[in-house]
Amino acid sequence: MKSKFFNSWKKVIKTNKNKIINSKIIGKVDRGNNDEKLSVLDAEIETNKGDRLSRAIILESPSVVVVPVLKLLNKKKFIVIKQFRISQGKETIEFPAGAIKNNQKIQSALDEIKEEINIKINKKDLKKLHNRPIMMMPSYNSCLAYFYYFEKNVDNNTLNKLNNSITGQRNLGEKIKVKVIDEDKIKKINTSSVVIGLSLYERLKK
């Protein structure tokens, strides 16, 4: 069984001067046209300190996360998306995010902004929140997330059109509700993209 993510993982292991003893792809999830979403790898490695470790890990594409900031006069508001997550059995609130396609981080972020919150912004308005990707679940998952943000001046009419609008790729089973949240309320949300994204944004703006 082959995985398009395997070579990237192998490069990381070798770059950090570890040695692969055994490795086997034991499962894979595809979604049409061989669009691989993730693979499960069972591996044994020898670390650069001489220790041997056997672990099963999930291999998947790096992703982008976007923190959308709206400015209404002197107030800041944030756009989040609300959607059902099977892993939690309920709807969760997150910042727009998605897998990086064809190694194009910026374009992938712009695509997610258009698809998930139906806003078109210029490339120059999308800015980095952090210089390096963040390891989201390093214990068992290869996923890295690149965080970006944009700030946009809006009026009340724009806010009203955005809030509670429905987006998402329905052919992929997505049904996303767009929510506009006040600055004080967003701090109560406990999903990783919001907690990390908000922390990075506040650090940047200090």
Side-chain angles (χ1 to χ4, degrees), residues 153-164:
N153 292 313
V154 295
D155 55 26
N156 274 313
N157 186 48
T158 301
L159 289 183
N160 291 333
K161 285 183 177 179
L162 280 170
N163 195 36
N164 293 320

Side-chain angles (χ1 to χ4, degrees), residues 21-196:
I21 307 301
N22 293 299
S23 62
K24 182 180 180 182
I25 301 295
I26 59 176
K28 188 167 72 166
V29 176
D30 291 325
R31 286 287 187 267
N33 298 321
N34 293 318
D35 181 20
E36 184 181 343
K37 293 300 182 185
L38 61 85
S39 293
V40 180
L41 174 71
D42 193 13
E44 181 183 6
I45 71 166
E46 182 178 310
T47 73
N48 55 21
K49 294 183 179 179
D51 300 318
R52 284 203 175 195
L53 298 174
S54 296
R55 296 289 188 272
I57 60 172
I58 296 173
L59 304 177
E60 58 181 302
S61 171
S63 62
V64 288
V65 179
V66 180
V67 178
V69 184
L70 303 180
K71 293 183 175 181
L72 179 66
L73 300 177
N74 294 323
K75 294 182 179 180
K76 286 184 181 179
K77 296 178 181 289
F78 294 83
I79 304 177
V80 292
I81 58 172
K82 189 175 185 180
Q83 60 183 321
F84 191 91
R85 292 299 196 188
I86 292 178
S87 62
Q88 303 301 316
K90 63 179 181 180
E91 289 181 320
T92 62
I93 296 176
E94 308 159 35
F95 281 133
I100 295 173
K101 302 175 183 69
N102 302 318
N103 260 345
Q104 300 295 314
K105 294 188 284 292
I106 298 295
Q107 188 57 52
S108 296
L110 294 173
D111 290 345
E112 293 301 326
I113 293 167
K114 180 62 179 172
E115 290 171 8
E116 296 195 348
I117 59 177
N118 199 25
I119 289 179
K120 185 175 181 180
I121 67 165
N122 295 321
K123 184 177 180 179
K124 66 180 178 61
D125 295 325
L126 187 67
K127 304 182 187 304
K128 287 183 180 181
L129 270 177
H130 200 53
N131 288 327
R132 294 179 294 167
I134 291 176
M135 295 178 281
M136 300 299 284
M137 293 172 283
S139 60
Y140 67 93
N141 192 297
S142 70
C143 184
L144 300 173
Y146 293 81
F147 280 75
Y148 296 90
Y149 79 102
F150 69 86
E151 295 177 326
K152 185 177 179 68
N153 292 313
V154 295
D155 55 26
N156 274 313
N157 186 48
T158 301
L159 289 183
N160 291 333
K161 285 183 177 179
L162 280 170
N163 195 36
N164 293 320
S165 59
I166 304 298
T167 65
Q169 299 182 70
R170 301 308 294 271
N171 61 316
L172 299 178
E174 288 185 343
K175 184 180 180 182
I176 294 171
K177 179 177 278 190
V178 178
K179 302 292 291 184
V180 178
I181 296 185
D182 293 337
E183 192 170 8
D184 58 336
K185 292 182 179 178
I186 198 167
K187 295 177 181 180
K188 298 176 182 179
I189 298 170
N190 67 342
T191 51
S192 62
S193 69
V194 173
V195 173
I196 297 171

